Amino acid sequence: MNLDVINIDLGFTSIKGAEIFQSVNPIFVVTLTPLIMWLFGALKRKDKEPSTPMKIAIGMGIASLAYLFLMVFSFALPSKEALAGMSAAELEAMRVTPWVMVILYFILTVAELFISPLGLSFVSKVAPPHLQGLMQGCWLAATAVGNSLLFIGGLLYTSVPIWSCWLVFAAATGLSMIVMLAMVRWLERVAR
């Protein structure tokens, strides 16, 4: 079974390869950024805009929803042992819709727009002027460390059912949201 090639029939053309999904996130970033900024502006005009730390916590909650979505969707898939015993025709008959990936990227991009630019901006705002560059570097280094920990997903994928792999990611992002929520009041005081 070759997992590197995914055949996707979108009705108007056939696309081969999972790499096509690499374009979904940038498309969503470009299209959703103005909408999210408009939402923040509309909330600000009504004097209901959440603080930056609260927006980051909300973003972590949205990211957790993405992994919960994958966890629920994975319950519909056969186990890895069952997949290994299936013929090529059986595997071909149970193709997964590409909309799962598109929806996942949509949810994660919304979360990204709540976390990444706002977090870097917040670090710039609260860091002492002589440490701003260092603190921004620490923010980006923390992002790099988080990305380097993604290998855990690969280890889990080979050793546990796929739904529990997604549950670990949902729990990690959910725990991050809870930690952020616990720190919101303190971070709002620091930002004043």
Side-chain angles (χ1 to χ4, degrees):
M1 178 172 75
N2 184 355
L3 295 178
D4 293 335
V5 176
I6 298 174
N7 294 319
I8 303 167
D9 184 6
L10 297 176
F12 53 88
T13 185
S14 182
I15 302 168
K16 285 194 176 237
E19 61 274 356
I20 189 67
F21 292 109
Q22 292 179 358
S23 66
V24 174
N25 177 257
I27 290 169
F28 279 145
V29 167
V30 169
T31 57
L32 292 176
T33 298
L35 295 174
I36 301 252
M37 293 302 107
W38 173 85
L39 172 67
F40 291 158
L43 289 171
K44 187 174 186 168
R45 283 189 296 278
K46 293 180 181 180
D47 203 30
K48 293 184 179 185
E49 181 183 23
S51 65
T52 299
M54 181 60 81
K55 290 175 190 173
I56 294 170
I58 292 168
M60 293 308 297
I62 294 169
S64 188
L65 290 176
Y67 296 116
L68 288 173
F69 165 74
L70 280 179
M71 185 184 83
V72 169
F73 180 78
S74 65
F75 284 126
L77 299 175
S79 68
K80 288 179 266 191
E81 296 78 23
L83 282 172
M86 290 182 167
S87 69
E90 290 173 315
L91 290 171
E92 182 69 23
M94 65 162 240
R95 278 194 210 170
V96 175
T97 176
W99 291 108
V100 171
M101 291 299 292
V102 172
I103 292 168
L104 173 69
Y105 273 112
F106 175 81
I107 298 169
L108 286 175
T109 302
V110 171
E112 176 186 359
L113 292 173
F114 271 74
I115 298 168
S116 292
L118 296 172
L120 192 57
S121 171
F122 186 74
V123 167
S124 297
K125 182 178 180 181
V126 298
H130 67 284
L131 294 176
Q132 279 189 352
L134 179 64
M135 293 297 103
Q136 288 177 351
C138 288
W139 171 267
L140 296 173
T143 302
V145 169
N147 285 334
S148 68
L149 292 175
L150 288 175
F151 77 92
I152 295 170
L155 295 176
L156 290 172
Y157 180 79
T158 59
S159 59
V160 298
I162 190 68
W163 66 266
S164 58
C165 178
W166 299 129
L167 178 61
V168 168
F169 282 99
T173 51
L175 181 61
S176 296
M177 178 193 68
I178 291 167
V179 168
M180 246 346 255
L181 288 172
M183 294 173 50
V184 163
R185 296 266 189 249
W186 174 71
L187 290 170
E188 287 172 347
R189 279 195 312 270
V190 169
R192 286 188 191 138

PDB file of all heavy atoms in Angstrom, residues 163-188:
ATOM      1  N   TRP A 163      -7.368   7.244  16.779  1.00  0.00           N
ATOM      2  CA  TRP A 163      -8.211   8.177  17.525  1.00  0.00           C
ATOM      3  C   TRP A 163      -7.510   8.631  18.804  1.00  0.00           C
ATOM      4  O   TRP A 163      -7.633   9.788  19.194  1.00  0.00           O
ATOM      5  CB  TRP A 163      -9.585   7.580  17.843  1.00  0.00           C
ATOM      6  CG  TRP A 163      -9.546   6.413  18.779  1.00  0.00           C
ATOM      7  CD1 TRP A 163      -9.509   5.087  18.443  1.00  0.00           C
ATOM      8  CD2 TRP A 163      -9.526   6.458  20.209  1.00  0.00           C
ATOM      9  NE1 TRP A 163      -9.458   4.320  19.566  1.00  0.00           N
ATOM     10  CE2 TRP A 163      -9.473   5.128  20.670  1.00  0.00           C
ATOM     11  CE3 TRP A 163      -9.546   7.488  21.141  1.00  0.00           C
ATOM     12  CZ2 TRP A 163      -9.442   4.798  22.022  1.00  0.00           C
ATOM     13  CZ3 TRP A 163      -9.510   7.165  22.497  1.00  0.00           C
ATOM     14  CH2 TRP A 163      -9.465   5.826  22.918  1.00  0.00           C
ATOM     15  N   SER A 164      -6.763   7.744  19.447  1.00  0.00           N
ATOM     16  CA  SER A 164      -6.084   8.139  20.679  1.00  0.00           C
ATOM     17  C   SER A 164      -4.888   9.039  20.391  1.00  0.00           C
ATOM     18  O   SER A 164      -4.520   9.860  21.232  1.00  0.00           O
ATOM     19  CB  SER A 164      -5.676   6.916  21.503  1.00  0.00           C
ATOM     20  OG  SER A 164      -4.841   6.080  20.753  1.00  0.00           O
ATOM     21  N   CYS A 165      -4.297   8.903  19.214  1.00  0.00           N
ATOM     22  CA  CYS A 165      -3.234   9.825  18.802  1.00  0.00           C
ATOM     23  C   CYS A 165      -3.803  11.246  18.728  1.00  0.00           C
ATOM     24  O   CYS A 165      -3.213  12.191  19.256  1.00  0.00           O
ATOM     25  CB  CYS A 165      -2.668   9.383  17.454  1.00  0.00           C
ATOM     26  SG  CYS A 165      -1.394  10.456  16.799  1.00  0.00           S
ATOM     27  N   TRP A 166      -4.957  11.394  18.084  1.00  0.00           N
ATOM     28  CA  TRP A 166      -5.585  12.720  17.977  1.00  0.00           C
ATOM     29  C   TRP A 166      -6.050  13.211  19.341  1.00  0.00           C
ATOM     30  O   TRP A 166      -6.042  14.410  19.611  1.00  0.00           O
ATOM     31  CB  TRP A 166      -6.748  12.698  16.992  1.00  0.00           C
ATOM     32  CG  TRP A 166      -6.332  12.332  15.610  1.00  0.00           C
ATOM     33  CD1 TRP A 166      -6.892  11.379  14.808  1.00  0.00           C
ATOM     34  CD2 TRP A 166      -5.266  12.913  14.837  1.00  0.00           C
ATOM     35  NE1 TRP A 166      -6.232  11.316  13.607  1.00  0.00           N
ATOM     36  CE2 TRP A 166      -5.228  12.246  13.598  1.00  0.00           C
ATOM     37  CE3 TRP A 166      -4.337  13.904  15.083  1.00  0.00           C
ATOM     38  CZ2 TRP A 166      -4.311  12.562  12.601  1.00  0.00           C
ATOM     39  CZ3 TRP A 166      -3.404  14.219  14.100  1.00  0.00           C
ATOM     40  CH2 TRP A 166      -3.398  13.552  12.871  1.00  0.00           C
ATOM     41  N   LEU A 167      -6.438  12.280  20.210  1.00  0.00           N
ATOM     42  CA  LEU A 167      -6.853  12.667  21.561  1.00  0.00           C
ATOM     43  C   LEU A 167      -5.688  13.300  22.326  1.00  0.00           C
ATOM     44  O   LEU A 167      -5.878  14.266  23.070  1.00  0.00           O
ATOM     45  CB  LEU A 167      -7.398  11.457  22.319  1.00  0.00           C
ATOM     46  CG  LEU A 167      -7.838  11.710  23.766  1.00  0.00           C
ATOM     47  CD1 LEU A 167      -8.963  12.742  23.813  1.00  0.00           C
ATOM     48  CD2 LEU A 167      -8.260  10.407  24.422  1.00  0.00           C
ATOM     49  N   VAL A 168      -4.477  12.790  22.134  1.00  0.00           N
ATOM     50  CA  VAL A 168      -3.301  13.363  22.791  1.00  0.00           C
ATOM     51  C   VAL A 168      -3.094  14.812  22.332  1.00  0.00           C
ATOM     52  O   VAL A 168      -2.847  15.705  23.145  1.00  0.00           O
ATOM     53  CB  VAL A 168      -2.042  12.508  22.532  1.00  0.00           C
ATOM     54  CG1 VAL A 168      -0.777  13.230  22.957  1.00  0.00           C
ATOM     55  CG2 VAL A 168      -2.169  11.165  23.240  1.00  0.00           C
ATOM     56  N   PHE A 169      -3.221  15.057  21.022  1.00  0.00           N
ATOM     57  CA  PHE A 169      -3.061  16.428  20.512  1.00  0.00           C
ATOM     58  C   PHE A 169      -4.183  17.322  21.014  1.00  0.00           C
ATOM     59  O   PHE A 169      -3.949  18.489  21.361  1.00  0.00           O
ATOM     60  CB  PHE A 169      -3.012  16.426  18.980  1.00  0.00           C
ATOM     61  CG  PHE A 169      -1.693  15.996  18.429  1.00  0.00           C
ATOM     62  CD1 PHE A 169      -1.501  14.703  17.989  1.00  0.00           C
ATOM     63  CD2 PHE A 169      -0.632  16.883  18.342  1.00  0.00           C
ATOM     64  CE1 PHE A 169      -0.282  14.293  17.488  1.00  0.00           C
ATOM     65  CE2 PHE A 169       0.594  16.495  17.841  1.00  0.00           C
ATOM     66  CZ  PHE A 169       0.775  15.197  17.414  1.00  0.00           C
ATOM     67  N   ALA A 170      -5.411  16.802  21.061  1.00  0.00           N
ATOM     68  CA  ALA A 170      -6.531  17.595  21.583  1.00  0.00           C
ATOM     69  C   ALA A 170      -6.310  17.924  23.053  1.00  0.00           C
ATOM     70  O   ALA A 170      -6.564  19.055  23.490  1.00  0.00           O
ATOM     71  CB  ALA A 170      -7.842  16.835  21.398  1.00  0.00           C
ATOM     72  N   ALA A 171      -5.809  16.959  23.808  1.00  0.00           N
ATOM     73  CA  ALA A 171      -5.545  17.192  25.234  1.00  0.00           C
ATOM     74  C   ALA A 171      -4.422  18.214  25.426  1.00  0.00           C
ATOM     75  O   ALA A 171      -4.517  19.088  26.296  1.00  0.00           O
ATOM     76  CB  ALA A 171      -5.194  15.875  25.918  1.00  0.00           C
ATOM     77  N   ALA A 172      -3.377  18.117  24.611  1.00  0.00           N
ATOM     78  CA  ALA A 172      -2.258  19.065  24.744  1.00  0.00           C
ATOM     79  C   ALA A 172      -2.704  20.489  24.445  1.00  0.00           C
ATOM     80  O   ALA A 172      -2.371  21.418  25.190  1.00  0.00           O
ATOM     81  CB  ALA A 172      -1.117  18.662  23.817  1.00  0.00           C
ATOM     82  N   THR A 173      -3.466  20.677  23.381  1.00  0.00           N
ATOM     83  CA  THR A 173      -3.930  22.026  23.046  1.00  0.00           C
ATOM     84  C   THR A 173      -4.993  22.495  24.048  1.00  0.00           C
ATOM     85  O   THR A 173      -5.044  23.677  24.396  1.00  0.00           O
ATOM     86  CB  THR A 173      -4.468  22.105  21.605  1.00  0.00           C
ATOM     87  OG1 THR A 173      -5.426  21.061  21.402  1.00  0.00           O
ATOM     88  CG2 THR A 173      -3.339  21.950  20.595  1.00  0.00           C
ATOM     89  N   GLY A 174      -5.826  21.569  24.510  1.00  0.00           N
ATOM     90  CA  GLY A 174      -6.819  21.918  25.525  1.00  0.00           C
ATOM     91  C   GLY A 174      -6.168  22.321  26.838  1.00  0.00           C
ATOM     92  O   GLY A 174      -6.577  23.290  27.486  1.00  0.00           O
ATOM     93  N   LEU A 175      -5.115  21.609  27.227  1.00  0.00           N
ATOM     94  CA  LEU A 175      -4.376  21.956  28.438  1.00  0.00           C
ATOM     95  C   LEU A 175      -3.700  23.319  28.283  1.00  0.00           C
ATOM     96  O   LEU A 175      -3.698  24.134  29.216  1.00  0.00           O
ATOM     97  CB  LEU A 175      -3.343  20.879  28.755  1.00  0.00           C
ATOM     98  CG  LEU A 175      -2.513  21.080  30.012  1.00  0.00           C
ATOM     99  CD1 LEU A 175      -3.403  21.109  31.255  1.00  0.00           C
ATOM    100  CD2 LEU A 175      -1.471  19.986  30.135  1.00  0.00           C
ATOM    101  N   SER A 176      -3.164  23.583  27.100  1.00  0.00           N
ATOM    102  CA  SER A 176      -2.571  24.899  26.840  1.00  0.00           C
ATOM    103  C   SER A 176      -3.606  26.002  26.973  1.00  0.00           C
ATOM    104  O   SER A 176      -3.307  27.083  27.502  1.00  0.00           O
ATOM    105  CB  SER A 176      -1.952  24.938  25.441  1.00  0.00           C
ATOM    106  OG  SER A 176      -0.889  24.038  25.348  1.00  0.00           O
ATOM    107  N   MET A 177      -4.813  25.733  26.506  1.00  0.00           N
ATOM    108  CA  MET A 177      -5.885  26.718  26.635  1.00  0.00           C
ATOM    109  C   MET A 177      -6.199  26.970  28.112  1.00  0.00           C
ATOM    110  O   MET A 177      -6.343  28.120  28.539  1.00  0.00           O
ATOM    111  CB  MET A 177      -7.141  26.245  25.921  1.00  0.00           C
ATOM    112  CG  MET A 177      -8.319  27.199  26.050  1.00  0.00           C
ATOM    113  SD  MET A 177      -9.896  26.514  25.543  1.00  0.00           S
ATOM    114  CE  MET A 177     -10.195  25.302  26.794  1.00  0.00           C
ATOM    115  N   ILE A 178      -6.267  25.917  28.896  1.00  0.00           N
ATOM    116  CA  ILE A 178      -6.575  26.058  30.322  1.00  0.00           C
ATOM    117  C   ILE A 178      -5.482  26.853  31.036  1.00  0.00           C
ATOM    118  O   ILE A 178      -5.769  27.737  31.849  1.00  0.00           O
ATOM    119  CB  ILE A 178      -6.788  24.669  30.964  1.00  0.00           C
ATOM    120  CG1 ILE A 178      -8.088  24.054  30.427  1.00  0.00           C
ATOM    121  CG2 ILE A 178      -6.819  24.755  32.484  1.00  0.00           C
ATOM    122  CD1 ILE A 178      -8.267  22.590  30.736  1.00  0.00           C
ATOM    123  N   VAL A 179      -4.219  26.568  30.711  1.00  0.00           N
ATOM    124  CA  VAL A 179      -3.107  27.311  31.307  1.00  0.00           C
ATOM    125  C   VAL A 179      -3.210  28.788  30.922  1.00  0.00           C
ATOM    126  O   VAL A 179      -3.041  29.678  31.769  1.00  0.00           O
ATOM    127  CB  VAL A 179      -1.751  26.711  30.879  1.00  0.00           C
ATOM    128  CG1 VAL A 179      -0.600  27.625  31.239  1.00  0.00           C
ATOM    129  CG2 VAL A 179      -1.564  25.333  31.500  1.00  0.00           C
ATOM    130  N   MET A 180      -3.498  29.048  29.659  1.00  0.00           N
ATOM    131  CA  MET A 180      -3.638  30.442  29.211  1.00  0.00           C
ATOM    132  C   MET A 180      -4.790  31.133  29.933  1.00  0.00           C
ATOM    133  O   MET A 180      -4.661  32.284  30.360  1.00  0.00           O
ATOM    134  CB  MET A 180      -3.915  30.471  27.716  1.00  0.00           C
ATOM    135  CG  MET A 180      -2.926  31.064  26.759  1.00  0.00           C
ATOM    136  SD  MET A 180      -1.628  32.047  27.332  1.00  0.00           S
ATOM    137  CE  MET A 180      -2.219  33.635  26.871  1.00  0.00           C
ATOM    138  N   LEU A 181      -5.920  30.442  30.061  1.00  0.00           N
ATOM    139  CA  LEU A 181      -7.059  31.031  30.762  1.00  0.00           C
ATOM    140  C   LEU A 181      -6.719  31.340  32.214  1.00  0.00           C
ATOM    141  O   LEU A 181      -7.156  32.358  32.757  1.00  0.00           O
ATOM    142  CB  LEU A 181      -8.277  30.101  30.688  1.00  0.00           C
ATOM    143  CG  LEU A 181      -8.965  30.009  29.329  1.00  0.00           C
ATOM    144  CD1 LEU A 181     -10.032  28.922  29.336  1.00  0.00           C
ATOM    145  CD2 LEU A 181      -9.559  31.349  28.928  1.00  0.00           C
ATOM    146  N   ALA A 182      -5.926  30.480  32.838  1.00  0.00           N
ATOM    147  CA  ALA A 182      -5.522  30.711  34.223  1.00  0.00           C
ATOM    148  C   ALA A 182      -4.608  31.929  34.333  1.00  0.00           C
ATOM    149  O   ALA A 182      -4.555  32.567  35.387  1.00  0.00           O
ATOM    150  CB  ALA A 182      -4.824  29.470  34.779  1.00  0.00           C
ATOM    151  N   MET A 183      -3.897  32.265  33.268  1.00  0.00           N
ATOM    152  CA  MET A 183      -2.943  33.375  33.297  1.00  0.00           C
ATOM    153  C   MET A 183      -3.509  34.672  32.715  1.00  0.00           C
ATOM    154  O   MET A 183      -2.836  35.700  32.745  1.00  0.00           O
ATOM    155  CB  MET A 183      -1.696  32.984  32.488  1.00  0.00           C
ATOM    156  CG  MET A 183      -0.915  31.848  33.094  1.00  0.00           C
ATOM    157  SD  MET A 183       0.419  31.259  32.029  1.00  0.00           S
ATOM    158  CE  MET A 183       1.266  32.741  31.596  1.00  0.00           C
ATOM    159  N   VAL A 184      -4.726  34.657  32.190  1.00  0.00           N
ATOM    160  CA  VAL A 184      -5.269  35.816  31.477  1.00  0.00           C
ATOM    161  C   VAL A 184      -5.267  37.073  32.331  1.00  0.00           C
ATOM    162  O   VAL A 184      -4.782  38.126  31.897  1.00  0.00           O
ATOM    163  CB  VAL A 184      -6.681  35.519  30.914  1.00  0.00           C
ATOM    164  CG1 VAL A 184      -7.416  36.790  30.544  1.00  0.00           C
ATOM    165  CG2 VAL A 184      -6.590  34.606  29.701  1.00  0.00           C
ATOM    166  N   ARG A 185      -5.800  37.008  33.546  1.00  0.00           N
ATOM    167  CA  ARG A 185      -5.885  38.205  34.396  1.00  0.00           C
ATOM    168  C   ARG A 185      -4.492  38.780  34.666  1.00  0.00           C
ATOM    169  O   ARG A 185      -4.290  39.986  34.587  1.00  0.00           O
ATOM    170  CB  ARG A 185      -6.577  37.879  35.722  1.00  0.00           C
ATOM    171  CG  ARG A 185      -8.013  37.456  35.548  1.00  0.00           C
ATOM    172  CD  ARG A 185      -8.923  38.655  35.707  1.00  0.00           C
ATOM    173  NE  ARG A 185     -10.296  38.191  35.750  1.00  0.00           N
ATOM    174  CZ  ARG A 185     -11.176  38.415  34.796  1.00  0.00           C
ATOM    175  NH1 ARG A 185     -10.821  39.077  33.718  1.00  0.00           N
ATOM    176  NH2 ARG A 185     -12.399  37.978  34.895  1.00  0.00           N
ATOM    177  N   TRP A 186      -3.549  37.913  35.002  1.00  0.00           N
ATOM    178  CA  TRP A 186      -2.177  38.362  35.268  1.00  0.00           C
ATOM    179  C   TRP A 186      -1.567  38.996  34.011  1.00  0.00           C
ATOM    180  O   TRP A 186      -0.960  40.065  34.084  1.00  0.00           O
ATOM    181  CB  TRP A 186      -1.324  37.183  35.741  1.00  0.00           C
ATOM    182  CG  TRP A 186       0.114  37.525  35.905  1.00  0.00           C
ATOM    183  CD1 TRP A 186       0.657  38.313  36.886  1.00  0.00           C
ATOM    184  CD2 TRP A 186       1.173  37.133  35.046  1.00  0.00           C
ATOM    185  NE1 TRP A 186       2.020  38.409  36.687  1.00  0.00           N
ATOM    186  CE2 TRP A 186       2.358  37.689  35.572  1.00  0.00           C
ATOM    187  CE3 TRP A 186       1.259  36.337  33.905  1.00  0.00           C
ATOM    188  CZ2 TRP A 186       3.595  37.499  34.992  1.00  0.00           C
ATOM    189  CZ3 TRP A 186       2.493  36.137  33.328  1.00  0.00           C
ATOM    190  CH2 TRP A 186       3.636  36.722  33.872  1.00  0.00           C
ATOM    191  N   LEU A 187      -1.749  38.359  32.859  1.00  0.00           N
ATOM    192  CA  LEU A 187      -1.191  38.902  31.608  1.00  0.00           C
ATOM    193  C   LEU A 187      -1.853  40.223  31.226  1.00  0.00           C
ATOM    194  O   LEU A 187      -1.200  41.122  30.693  1.00  0.00           O
ATOM    195  CB  LEU A 187      -1.336  37.888  30.470  1.00  0.00           C
ATOM    196  CG  LEU A 187      -0.433  36.643  30.587  1.00  0.00           C
ATOM    197  CD1 LEU A 187      -0.825  35.600  29.558  1.00  0.00           C
ATOM    198  CD2 LEU A 187       1.024  37.039  30.444  1.00  0.00           C
ATOM    199  N   GLU A 188      -3.141  40.357  31.512  1.00  0.00           N
ATOM    200  CA  GLU A 188      -3.818  41.632  31.228  1.00  0.00           C
ATOM    201  C   GLU A 188      -3.261  42.747  32.121  1.00  0.00           C
ATOM    202  O   GLU A 188      -3.100  43.877  31.667  1.00  0.00           O
ATOM    203  CB  GLU A 188      -5.329  41.476  31.453  1.00  0.00           C
ATOM    204  CG  GLU A 188      -6.018  40.664  30.395  1.00  0.00           C
ATOM    205  CD  GLU A 188      -7.474  40.345  30.695  1.00  0.00           C
ATOM    206  OE1 GLU A 188      -7.908  40.536  31.849  1.00  0.00           O
ATOM    207  OE2 GLU A 188      -8.169  39.887  29.774  1.00  0.00           O
TER     208      GLU A 188
END
